Amino acid sequence: MSLQSPLTDPDPQTPMLELDHITCGYQPDVAAVRNLSLCLQPGSILCLLGPSGCGKTTTLRAIAGFEKVSAGEIRLQGQILASASVHLPPEQRRVGMVFQEYPLFPHMAVADNVAFGLYHWKPADRQSRVQALLELVGLKSLEHRFPHELSGGQQQRVAIARALAPKPLMLLLDEPFSNLDPEMTVKMRKELYRVLRQTQTTAILVTHDHEEAFAMADHVAVMQDGVLVQCDTPEAIYQQPSCSFVAEFIGQANTIPGVIHNGHIETEIGTFPNESTFQSNSRVLVMIRPNDIQFTPSESGSGRIESRQFQGSQTLYAIRLQSGQLIHCCMLPIPVYNIEISVNVHVTTSHTILFPQPALSEE
Amino acid sequence: MARQARLTPLSLMGVAIAALLTFPLAYVTYSAFTGDLSQASNLWNTRLPELLTNTISLALGVSLATLTLGISTAWIITRYQFWGRAFWDWGFVLPLAIPSFVLAYVYTYLLDRAGPVEHIWQWLTNSDVHIPSPYSFTGALVVMTLNTFPYVYLLARAAFQNFNLSFEEAAQATGATRWETFWRVSLPLIRPALVASMFLVVLYVVSDFGAVSLLRFQTFTYAIYQQITGRFDYQSAALLSLLLVSFALVFLFAERWFRKQSRFYQTSGRVRTATPKPCSIIRGLTINLFFMMIFMAAFGLPVFLLIQWTIAAWANGEVGTSFGTYIGNSVFLSAAAATAALALGTPLAYLASRIPSKLHVACLQGAYIGYVLPGPVAALALLMLFTDMIPILYGTVFVLILAYLIHYLPAGLQAMESALQQVHPNLEEAARNLGAKGIRTFMQVTFPLVRKGFFAAWLLMFLLCMKELPATLLLRPIGFDTLAVRIWLEASEELYQLAAPPALLIVILTIPAVFLLSKKNWQAG
């Protein structure tokens, strides 16, 4: 059996997975997932990214069949898995899942865990399939061990092998690295990436860590409060976040209020050319990454250093502007500037991202 | 995550089982209030004052006595290191292996007029003074105390073992003596355990039939039995039963409430627990003497007498072939009831732990009804139900097995529930995700993981059924005697030797169940 295609060969013309305006939960206002649409092409990896409680795990469980869909449709290679009236049981969906705690069956050895989904296979086929997968994840020598005799990383490899064994059409992974220590996380991330690419597996990976998402994914879907706010390539998400939530969630970002005047954006820390379609006089938020801001000490400076955080290759300063606005900027670690000194802030880029300023509430 | 309840076939099965278990009590309630209610006022004027006084005073007396015995033994065992400690540590659980009616029958012999205890007393005091008769409050108090103090011991021991020593040290640092510390800090802090054990003891005392009937002490259970067998007055029996059930219900809810309150007492973070301190030889001997007296009274002496009587009965050729029949009857009934209970309990426990909708939790709660149905009440309920509705089944083993099932399912259900809760639902979801259907998931994943817990549940229910007395007396097919029934019948006639072989057999069989019980986590709250 070739390892190059351990999964069922998908039809490359049809999208692998389509989420078509799905809602999970019965009360529309507080549903865990609302009106979510996504499309995944065969062989690609998507990361569902968002803070805890944003509905990303619910989305994953809805695809696997552990949550019901109250509106919309989930299609796998064109076949309807779930809708308001259809609910294909989890065991018939052919969607593999690696759970957060990788629940390995504690009463079965590694090989039996991997073979669990191969119940209806001929014994000889089952045997060779298990061997091939253990080889794929590098656990050939441990097939007779029991789950409690394995390290966290080894348990995860078994969980991945077990999920891939029955040749699912695609793979779901729920926070796969959250139970590992940081060192092991980096190692397993590379390992998982290799396995997914080598087997050309279509996968959805749920995470709250944007670095993990950037490292693994072809596309990143950011969720907030049950709603999909942006789905794009990692580069696009980082460079052109669609709103201030995304901008701040995927890394340190300053959002500074500004007003558009005569084709320029005027803010407290400078004026920038307006490259957007915002009308004159509209109030906007300008996003500037800390790396794009520098300062020079000056007696008459308009800002004051409030805190300093040494980060190794750079130092992150928090500067309080006269208006009370706090901004962050990254500087070389040397020289060291003391807290409380006055500084002048200047922006080193002309490229800015603008968001509409939320209307002030009347309260 | 809240899930929508769906009426699956399994849910419907759960509802049907819960209905089967709760219907008898509902029927008794209905029958108690239909018909001539003048019985009720008659009952109120004649029997009730005595029954209430007796039942409540016995419950209070046994509570106080078991607290004293249980706390002192638990304290000494957790705090002192002495020769023999390892033996006493589990030795005080052994009295639970003696059914109350066996202990009662041994004590009717020991405390009887001109019995061994009176002889020793008169010889010691060189007088003709009589000791209190066993057929009295004192007799019931002694027997029930010796029979139930291990519950207090188990709970208090667990509490003292997990006790945070820093509290005592803080008290002593403020100048409190050890005695003051014990009363003002240690005891109040293990109050949840004490209250929980009191509920256990009181529930046990008010539902016991075997001991009070042999000691002819009039409590509710005994009175209900007499109304049924002596006067065939089912309505009065039903009214008394309802009173007893409400009493037990109040206790059950009070216990739940108190358990919630007691969460505040638990300390979080790191706990420094006490290590037993070595003590002098004199003190060690005193402790051993004290413990030996309790142990002999509650277990050693009764078992010694049973062995002696059994040997005598054997030598006289009084252990005939019928003994084998009784064993067969007991084993058949108990195995059938335990197996049926496991089969009916599994869907209830599974539904409540996996899809905890209101309906499923209610079904599970319904199955716990046996807790508040003392044996005679469960028997009365089925008796009335079957004579009125399905008379053809009345007097068959089917009714008896159903009575056992209702009565002892709660004990097994607890073990089943905790076994199921230890299997994370993720495991089942993983199996489903790998293509396994519901039934295969249960057989290959869930069941292998709960097998031990389920076996323990089966064994516990089996052994409890082996000891069951009042329902068996009231519902057994004619001539279908069990070991427990034989003990009671022979003991009622004061035929001590004849009652001994079945009693000894039950004690020996029950010891494994007692060890299961002692391994359980007894931490209150």
Side-chain angles (χ1 to χ4, degrees):
Chain A
M1 202 161 303
S2 148
L3 266 179
Q4 263 57 48
S5 60
L7 286 87
T8 306
D9 283 329
D11 173 5
Q13 304 307 316
T14 323
M16 177 57 76
L17 181 77
E18 294 160 277
L19 304 186
D20 191 352
H21 298 94
I22 62 161
T23 296
C24 300
Y26 288 84
Q27 289 150 297
D29 302 339
V30 292
V33 174
R34 292 192 302 278
N35 208 18
L36 180 114
S37 294
L38 272 179
C39 186
L40 203 59
Q41 295 305 323
S44 64
I45 300 176
L46 175 96
C47 271
L48 275 178
L49 180 67
S52 63
C54 72
K56 55 192 193 299
T57 294
T58 307
T59 308
L60 207 68
R61 290 173 60 84
I63 300 169
F66 298 119
E67 301 285 338
K68 291 192 113 187
V69 168
S70 54
E73 218 171 73
I74 300 177
R75 289 186 295 273
L76 185 72
Q77 287 263 285
Q79 187 206 359
I80 297 176
L81 295 185
S83 70
S85 54
V86 178
H87 181 80
L88 206 63
E91 63 266 25
Q92 291 172 22
R93 295 200 173 195
R94 306 187 61 201
V95 173
M97 182 152 171
V98 176
F99 292 78
Q100 196 172 351
E101 300 90 359
Y102 357 108
L104 302 180
F105 304 126
H107 57 303
M108 296 181 191
V110 166
D112 295 329
N113 262 287
V114 176
F116 187 88
L118 310 176
Y119 189 57
H120 297 292
W121 288 34
K122 285 192 205 115
D125 292 350
R126 194 182 320 166
Q127 183 68 17
S128 63
R129 178 73 180 159
V130 169
Q131 292 305 321
L133 278 153
L134 288 176
E135 199 162 324
L136 175 71
V137 297
L139 284 181
K140 197 114 200 221
S141 55
L142 302 181
E143 59 175 316
H144 298 300
R145 294 266 187 97
F146 279 84
H148 67 270
E149 299 170 315
L150 303 178
S151 70
Q154 289 167 338
Q155 287 185 17
Q156 193 187 33
R157 288 162 203 254
V158 179
I160 293 167
R162 184 177 70 175
L164 288 174
K167 297 196 170 188
L169 282 161
M170 64 173 298
L171 193 62
L172 309 172
L173 301 113
D174 187 4
E175 306 239 5
F177 307 116
S178 60
N179 280 340
L180 300 176
D181 55 55
E183 208 175 316
M184 187 52 104
T185 300
V186 175
K187 200 176 156 210
M188 279 311 296
R189 202 190 275 169
K190 284 184 189 150
E191 177 80 12
L192 178 64
Y193 191 77
R194 176 186 67 78
V195 170
L196 292 181
R197 288 305 184 200
Q198 189 180 336
T199 55
Q200 293 164 13
T201 304
T202 319
I204 297 184
L205 194 142
V206 155
T207 179
H208 59 260
D209 179 352
H210 64 275
E211 282 179 27
E212 195 172 304
F214 289 170
M216 301 283 302
D218 299 316
H219 289 89
V220 175
V222 185
M223 288 184 71
Q224 180 191 15
D225 294 335
V227 176
L228 178 70
V229 283
Q230 190 174 7
C231 181
D232 224 324
T233 62
E235 294 80 7
I237 294 261
Y238 189 77
Q239 283 156 11
Q240 271 131 23
S242 67
C243 64
S244 58
F245 170 78
V246 175
E248 280 165 23
F249 192 75
I250 57 167
Q252 199 107 38
N254 297 300
T255 47
I256 300 147
V259 184
I260 299 190
H261 266 308
N262 305 325
H264 287 282
I265 316 154
E266 291 175 3
T267 71
E268 199 180 354
I269 55 170
T271 305
F272 312 99
N274 180 18
E275 294 160 346
S276 70
T277 53
F278 282 101
Q279 299 290 312
S280 209
N281 287 330
S282 45
R283 298 183 160 276
V284 292
L285 285 174
V286 185
M287 185 201 88
I288 305 166
R289 299 271 176 208
N291 297 66
D292 294 334
I293 300 180
Q294 299 283 302
F295 64 76
T296 44
S298 156
E299 288 288 325
S300 59
S302 61
R304 195 172 47 77
I305 299 180
E306 193 162 286
S307 68
R308 186 181 68 214
Q309 194 185 343
F310 176 59
Q311 293 177 333
S313 60
Q314 58 187 22
T315 300
L316 183 73
Y317 289 90
I319 293 162
R320 182 74 68 184
L321 300 179
Q322 254 167 359
S323 64
Q325 168 86 32
L326 192 69
I327 61 167
H328 291 92
C329 65
C330 286
M331 302 280 282
L332 289 173
I334 298 169
V336 176
Y337 299 101
N338 286 328
I339 290 172
E340 292 293 338
I341 67 169
S342 296
V343 293
N344 263 325
V345 173
H346 36 92
V347 177
T348 56
T349 179
S350 63
H351 174 75
T352 52
I353 308 284
L354 302 189
F355 308 120
Q357 201 175 100
L360 290 173
S361 62
E362 294 293 315
E363 285 172 290
Chain B
M1 217 162 290
R3 293 188 199 171
Q4 200 75 1
R6 276 176 300 143
L7 270 187
T8 58
L10 196 61
S11 298
L12 287 175
M13 204 166 124
V15 174
I17 295 169
L20 173 76
L21 297 172
T22 46
F23 187 66
L25 179 64
Y27 190 71
V28 171
T29 315
Y30 163 77
S31 330
F33 294 111
T34 45
D36 188 7
L37 275 176
S38 64
Q39 289 283 356
S41 63
N42 195 20
L43 206 61
W44 187 261
N45 295 328
T46 54
R47 306 228 36 205
L48 261 187
E50 186 205 359
L51 290 178
L52 278 174
T53 324
N54 281 357
T55 307
I56 292 172
S57 57
L58 185 63
L60 279 178
V62 174
S63 296
L64 279 178
T66 52
L67 275 182
T68 316
L69 276 186
I71 293 173
S72 54
T73 49
W75 174 263
I76 293 169
I77 276 187
T78 47
R79 292 311 173 95
Y80 295 103
Q81 186 61 261
F82 50 91
W83 188 85
R85 179 171 169 273
F87 168 76
W88 298 119
D89 197 23
W90 56 267
F92 282 135
V93 189
L94 283 175
L96 290 177
I98 303 189
S100 68
F101 53 92
V102 172
L103 197 67
Y105 117 67
V106 170
Y107 270 82
T108 53
Y109 163 77
L110 284 173
L111 298 181
D112 209 358
R113 183 151 296 194
V117 176
E118 191 166 282
H119 268 302
I120 293 169
W121 180 252
Q122 290 178 347
W123 176 75
L124 279 177
T125 56
N126 201 14
S127 66
D128 296 337
V129 180
H130 290 304
I131 56 165
S133 155
Y135 305 104
S136 67
F137 175 76
T138 320
L141 178 70
V142 169
V143 169
M144 296 307 291
T145 301
L146 292 174
N147 206 219
T148 55
F149 88 89
Y151 288 119
V152 185
Y153 164 74
L154 279 169
L155 276 147
R157 190 186 66 176
F160 282 136
Q161 271 167 354
N162 296 297
F163 187 84
N164 192 347
L165 212 57
S166 314
F167 290 123
E168 283 180 12
E169 286 165 353
Q172 280 166 355
T174 65
T177 64
R178 298 206 52 175
W179 188 243
E180 283 169 358
T181 307
F182 176 77
W183 282 103
R184 291 176 47 207
V185 177
S186 313
L187 264 197
L189 278 172
I190 66 154
R191 200 158 59 194
L194 300 182
V195 173
S197 61
M198 273 311 85
F199 285 121
L200 265 177
V201 167
V202 170
L203 214 53
Y204 189 97
V205 169
V206 298
S207 0
D208 176 73
F209 165 80
V212 290
S213 61
L214 283 177
L215 300 171
R216 293 175 218 148
F217 186 66
Q218 292 286 339
T219 62
F220 272 97
T221 47
Y222 190 30
I224 293 166
Y225 176 80
Q226 286 170 322
Q227 295 287 348
I228 300 170
T229 55
R231 309 173 194 212
F232 300 100
D233 180 0
Y234 293 169
Q235 202 194 1
S236 301
L239 282 166
L240 288 176
S241 295
L242 285 187
L243 261 174
L244 186 54
V245 169
S246 358
F247 189 65
L249 266 179
V250 167
F251 248 79
L252 200 71
F253 283 118
E255 202 257 0
R256 293 257 162 103
W257 178 83
F258 198 88
R259 199 180 281 193
K260 269 186 197 157
Q261 303 292 309
S262 65
R263 297 230 169 97
F264 298 107
Y265 286 81
Q266 297 201 337
T267 40
S268 55
R270 276 185 302 157
V271 173
R272 214 163 61 75
T273 53
T275 40
K277 269 180 282 185
C279 55
S280 66
I281 294 179
I282 300 291
R283 184 176 268 184
L285 280 176
T286 321
I287 290 172
N288 269 303
L289 195 68
F290 172 56
F291 281 7
M292 183 60 90
M293 278 164 55
I294 300 173
F295 180 77
M296 286 314 283
F299 187 82
L301 200 55
V303 169
F304 172 76
L305 282 173
L306 289 180
I307 293 172
Q308 205 181 35
W309 285 331
T310 303
I311 292 171
W314 198 279
N316 295 345
E318 287 166 342
V319 186
T321 47
S322 51
F323 186 56
T325 317
Y326 306 142
I327 296 179
N329 290 347
S330 280
V331 169
F332 162 71
L333 283 176
S334 307
T339 309
L342 204 62
L344 296 193
T346 304
L348 293 177
Y350 185 82
L351 282 173
S353 77
R354 293 299 183 263
I355 315 166
S357 65
K358 272 185 190 156
L359 179 73
H360 295 159
V361 173
C363 287
L364 183 74
Q365 298 288 337
Y368 275 103
I369 196 163
Y371 261 147
V372 294
L373 284 185
V377 179
L380 173 73
L382 290 175
L383 199 139
M384 293 176 86
L385 188 66
F386 278 92
T387 45
D388 287 2
M389 292 189 169
I390 324 173
I392 194 156
L393 282 179
Y394 176 69
T396 64
V397 286
F398 174 78
V399 183
L400 192 49
I401 290 171
L402 190 57
Y404 285 5
L405 173 71
I406 294 175
H407 195 47
Y408 290 123
L409 181 57
L413 209 48
Q414 262 188 341
M416 290 159 73
E417 265 194 279
S418 68
L420 275 172
Q421 270 157 12
Q422 276 161 22
V423 180
H424 199 281
N426 259 357
L427 283 168
E428 287 159 7
E429 288 180 351
R432 298 292 296 273
N433 182 256
L434 292 166
K437 287 200 177 76
I439 291 174
R440 187 180 155 227
T441 301
F442 186 81
M443 293 313 292
Q444 290 200 347
V445 175
T446 317
F447 187 70
L449 295 173
V450 299
R451 199 169 45 197
K452 275 186 191 164
F454 274 34
F455 177 70
W458 186 90
L459 192 65
L460 189 64
M461 292 189 287
F462 174 82
L463 291 168
L464 286 170
C465 291
M466 291 289 285
K467 298 197 293 179
E468 210 292 330
L469 177 66
T472 321
L473 277 173
L474 289 166
L475 295 176
R476 70 189 196 279
I478 296 160
F480 195 87
D481 286 353
T482 64
L483 291 174
V485 166
R486 288 317 298 180
I487 299 167
W488 191 83
L489 291 177
E490 312 287 13
S492 309
E493 310 282 333
E494 301 191 8
L495 298 169
Y496 300 123
Q497 287 187 5
L498 282 180
L504 189 63
L505 188 64
I506 285 191
V507 171
I508 293 168
L509 282 178
T510 313
I511 287 175
V514 163
F515 280 108
L516 274 182
L517 211 62
S518 69
K519 276 191 199 149
K520 191 176 128 182
N521 181 10
W522 282 92
Q523 246 176 301

